[in-house]
């Protein structure tokens, strides 16, 4: 009887803790973006800046995509350094704005744009763009997981290119715990207007949580609506669930030279790096 009472008490405690945590996270569903690491303040959904320079390097543009798993595994800093050394733009999912990550970004130094998904114990979590050149305009988007109420976030950002065009970049962490895909589809459709109105090059990338066929079909159909092509990987070690890759990089208006996904022990996802050249106007 004592054992049963202890077990019931433990279960009740866990339920109450989860409920409190869920309510706390639910309260953080307002989309907000941060682009100034010195202040680390999330005030507005969108911010505009006077961008200086071009994101590409004399027509060459490399982009990396990585779910960094909240920097929970050893070696994340070395892996992130390798991606930043190889790329002008790194798109992170599950970034945790810890003092260690702040110091890394400031020491690099890199421009940052982060969308707040939720805040837990004074630490912000969400997707993050790291780049050599700041975005001219960036907006944050959030969508709540329908069951557990954890928020997923995304950024929509514009970066200047040397051929006088603007690159539209979507960095997205897709809703995971849903079967009928109602919220998952809505998360994508929020981005549709900007994608429709943009005439220049586009990159749509991130951890889409495409762990079954219906999710893959939905994402592929969404990409095809905007004439986006999925990168073809020379080496493909992307994390899979039930045989389906979770991470993707789609593009338009750029010339893909090569792309690869190399294994790492620093996260539960393996990063993607794609190398482009700018298309002629």
């Amino acid at each position: 009887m004592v054992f049963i009472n202890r077990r019931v008490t433990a279960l009740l405690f866990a339920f109450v803790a989860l409920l409190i945590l869920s309510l706390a996270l639910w309260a953080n569903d307002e989309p907000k973006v941060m682009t100034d690491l010195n202040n680390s303040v999330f005030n507005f959904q969108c911010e505009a800046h006077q961008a200086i320079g071009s994101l590409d390097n004399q027509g060459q543009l490399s982009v990396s995509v990585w779910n960094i798993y909240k920097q929970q595994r050893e070696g994340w800093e070395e892996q992130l350094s390798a991606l930043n050394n190889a790329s002008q733009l790194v798109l992170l999912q599950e970034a945790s704005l810890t003092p260690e990550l702040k110091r890394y970004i400031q020491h690099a130094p890199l421009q940052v744009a982060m969308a707040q998904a939720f805040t837990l114990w004074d630490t912000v979590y969400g997707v993050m763009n790291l780049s050599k050149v700041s975005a001219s305009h960036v907006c944050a988007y959030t969508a709540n997981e329908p069951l557990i109420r954890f928020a997923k976030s995304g950024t929509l950002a514009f970066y200047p290119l040397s051929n006088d065009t603007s690159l539209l970049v979507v960095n997205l962490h897709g809703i995971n715990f849903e079967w009928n895909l109602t919220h998952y589809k809505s998360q994508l459709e929020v981005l549709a207007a900007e994608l429709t109105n943009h005439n220049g090059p586009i990159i749509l990338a991130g951890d889409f949580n495409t762990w079954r066929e219906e999710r893959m079909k939905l994402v592929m159909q969404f990409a095809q609506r905007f004439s986006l092509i999925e990168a073809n990987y020379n080496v493909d070690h992307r994390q899979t669930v039930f045989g389906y890759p979770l991470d993707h990089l789609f593009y338009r208006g750029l010339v893909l030279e090569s792309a690869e996904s190399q294994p790492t022990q620093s996260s539960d996802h393996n990063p993607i790096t794609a190398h482009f050249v700018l298309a002629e106007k």
Side-chain angles (χ1 to χ4, degrees):
M1 182 65 68
V2 173
F3 173 77
I4 294 175
N5 288 338
R6 286 178 178 173
R7 186 174 183 181
V8 170
T9 301
L11 288 173
L12 286 173
F13 178 80
F15 174 77
V16 171
L18 181 60
L19 179 61
I20 293 173
L21 177 59
S22 297
L23 290 173
L25 297 176
W26 196 359
N28 288 327
D29 59 356
E30 288 294 325
K32 295 178 181 179
V33 69
M34 181 274 295
T35 58
D36 184 357
L37 199 59
N38 292 323
N39 295 324
S40 299
V41 176
F42 294 78
N43 280 329
F44 308 104
Q45 181 181 6
C46 298
E47 291 187 7
H49 301 275
Q50 181 66 42
I52 300 175
S54 302
L55 182 64
D56 61 284
N57 180 14
Q58 297 182 340
Q60 301 285 327
L61 176 64
S62 296
V63 180
S64 292
V65 184
W66 189 32
N67 184 320
I68 198 171
Y69 194 48
K70 305 178 184 68
Q71 300 103 258
Q72 294 183 91
R73 292 189 179 178
E74 292 184 2
W76 66 264
E77 186 169 342
E78 290 79 5
Q79 179 64 66
L80 184 55
S81 292
L83 296 177
N84 278 304
N85 289 337
S87 311
Q88 286 85 43
L89 176 65
V90 175
L91 307 177
L92 301 176
Q93 301 82 49
E94 290 195 31
S96 172
L97 194 57
T98 60
E100 293 79 10
L101 182 56
K102 288 182 182 180
R103 284 195 294 269
Y104 170 82
I105 296 170
Q106 291 170 330
H107 183 263
L110 294 165
Q111 302 295 321
V112 61
M114 183 178 189
Q116 173 182 276
F118 58 88
T119 301
L120 182 60
W121 294 307
D122 296 325
T123 300
V124 177
Y125 297 83
V127 303
M128 176 184 287
N129 298 10
L130 297 176
S131 57
K132 307 294 193 298
V133 174
S134 65
S136 60
H137 190 83
V138 58
C139 291
Y141 296 87
T142 57
N144 285 329
E145 291 277 2
L147 294 178
I148 62 174
R149 307 309 302 174
F150 279 78
K152 293 293 198 299
S153 65
T155 57
L156 189 151
F158 294 87
Y159 292 91
L161 298 176
S162 62
N163 61 359
D164 296 323
T165 62
S166 180
L167 173 67
L168 170 56
V169 178
V170 177
N171 178 6
L172 191 67
H173 191 192
I175 285 175
N176 195 14
F177 301 103
E178 181 184 38
W179 188 258
N180 63 17
L181 302 184
T182 301
H183 295 81
Y184 189 73
K185 183 177 182 180
S186 296
Q187 186 185 19
L188 292 172
E189 289 300 326
V190 167
L191 306 167
E194 289 288 353
L195 292 172
T196 300
N197 295 331
H198 188 66
N199 294 322
I202 295 175
I203 287 177
L204 168 66
D207 173 6
F208 288 82
N209 278 312
T210 43
W211 45 263
R212 67 186 182 101
E213 184 178 4
E214 288 76 9
R215 286 171 169 260
M216 280 291 301
K217 285 183 177 179
L218 184 61
V219 171
M220 294 301 295
Q221 289 169 358
F222 183 80
Q224 289 168 4
R225 277 170 55 188
F226 307 102
S227 302
L228 298 171
I229 305 167
E230 181 159 22
N232 184 34
Y233 302 98
N234 301 332
V235 178
D236 191 355
H237 288 283
R238 288 177 296 165
Q239 177 67 30
T240 61
V241 174
F242 305 127
Y244 296 100
L246 303 180
D247 307 295
H248 302 274
L249 188 154
F250 301 91
Y251 68 97
R252 185 187 82 187
L254 299 165
V255 179
L256 179 68
E257 289 190 319
S258 64
E260 65 274 348
S261 175
Q262 299 287 356
T264 182
Q265 299 299 316
S266 303
S267 173
D268 59 347
H269 287 246
N270 295 321
I272 293 168
T273 299
H275 307 282
F276 299 97
V277 294
L278 302 191
E280 295 184 3
K281 292 180 62 178

